[in-house]
Amino acid sequence: GQNIDQPTEMTATEGAIVQINCTYQTSGFNGLFWYQQHAGEAPTFLSYNVLDGLEEKGRFSSFLSRSKGYSYLLLKELQMKDSASYLCAVRAAGYGQNFVFGPGTRLSVLP
Amino acid sequence: DGGITQSPKYLFRKEGQNVTLSCEQNLNHDAMYWYRQDPGQGLRLIYYSQIVNDFQKGDIAEGYSVSREKKESFPLTVTSAQKNPTAFYLCASTKGSGANVLTFGAGSRLTVL
């Protein structure tokens, strides 16, 4: 089967650093993707990993360990506008190479 | 600018009616997808298409139908057989296989009265 787990909710303070974890079990692997989704809007792409290690993009970084089926998204210097849901998705192997999404982590940034 | 256009943004339907949600992309992407999102939940795959004139069922295809007559277009019909159609519907596309980013349209919010 295919399964992706993330914490349901997290809270952090403005200016702090937060780490959102994601564990996965999927049929093959063609990349792990992180999306941000504000309430009522479509998801927007943040970062992706294909190989093990850390990818840094400004205030956002994503880490991947394929052997452990584990990834995290690191958000630095949190701002109020970072309050959103963060979706972890894996592109599976096989025909279609579908994107399997986790339930999303709702992050609240407090002043 | 390239992107995905979904219409309508908001749609109200009476029980027993079929409705069709439009999805058009000018990104020259091969693969297109339809997802459903319920409040506070993740995305669930309804249908996907890798090439023109071919499409496959996703995890929750019952009560939905699609067509892919053109590369740019992938409309979704929500039929009266779908028991709980009120949801946020997202169309997405990607270039092809491998680690290519999935791009989303703005979404269509369907409410059944």
Side-chain angles (χ1 to χ4, degrees):
Chain A
Q2 305 193 96
N3 187 54
I4 299 181
D5 282 323
Q6 303 177 236
T8 304
E9 293 188 24
M10 298 183 71
T11 303
T13 304
E14 194 175 13
I17 299 173
V18 69
Q19 178 176 312
I20 302 174
N21 296 325
C22 170
T23 58
Y24 65 90
Q25 290 177 306
T26 57
S27 303
F29 181 85
N30 275 305
L32 187 139
F33 299 78
W34 284 95
Y35 288 83
Q36 181 191 61
Q37 185 179 28
H38 284 100
E41 298 180 9
T44 56
F45 170 71
L46 288 177
S47 182
Y48 81 97
N49 298 71
V50 179
L51 302 176
D52 290 354
L54 188 68
E55 292 286 337
E56 298 189 77
K57 293 180 68 174
R59 294 191 300 115
F60 298 91
S61 303
S62 58
F63 171 84
L64 174 68
S65 169
R66 287 173 296 170
S67 62
K68 295 182 179 179
Y70 169 70
S71 173
Y72 67 72
L73 179 70
L74 196 69
L75 291 77
K76 305 174 187 175
E77 302 170 14
L78 279 174
Q79 302 174 10
M80 300 297 289
K81 68 178 182 179
D82 296 328
S83 292
S85 288
Y86 292 85
L87 309 178
C88 172
V90 173
R91 191 168 199 188
Y95 183 80
Q97 295 192 13
N98 293 327
F99 291 78
V100 182
F101 282 83
T105 298
R106 187 160 59 190
L107 173 67
S108 297
V109 179
L110 306 178
Chain B
D1 288 337
I4 301 176
T5 301
Q6 288 188 242
S7 63
K9 190 170 177 68
Y10 298 95
L11 183 62
F12 297 88
R13 185 194 99 174
K14 294 182 180 179
E15 285 191 19
Q17 289 181 334
N18 292 357
V19 294
T20 296
L21 308 180
S22 170
C23 177
E24 302 279 333
Q25 54 100 357
N26 61 2
L27 299 166
N28 198 31
H29 285 174
D30 294 304
M32 298 187 73
Y33 305 79
W34 274 105
Y35 290 90
R36 169 182 172 141
Q37 188 175 36
D38 293 285
Q41 313 244 339
L43 277 61
R44 292 186 290 167
L45 182 64
I46 305 172
Y47 268 98
Y48 63 98
S49 169
Q50 296 295 306
I51 56 174
V52 175
N53 292 322
D54 184 60
F55 49 83
Q56 304 294 325
K57 293 181 179 180
D59 300 319
I60 56 166
E62 185 175 350
Y64 300 97
S65 65
V66 294
S67 63
R68 186 87 186 276
E69 297 176 0
K70 299 186 300 181
K71 185 175 183 178
E72 303 79 22
S73 179
F74 191 41
L76 174 74
T77 297
V78 185
T79 75
S80 56
Q82 170 49 235
K83 298 304 178 189
N84 186 19
T86 294
F88 188 44
Y89 291 89
L90 288 158
C91 179
S93 69
T94 189
K95 188 177 294 185
S97 59
N100 290 300
V101 175
L102 188 65
T103 301
F104 286 89
S108 293
R109 188 169 299 279
L110 172 64
T111 302
V112 173
L113 303 174

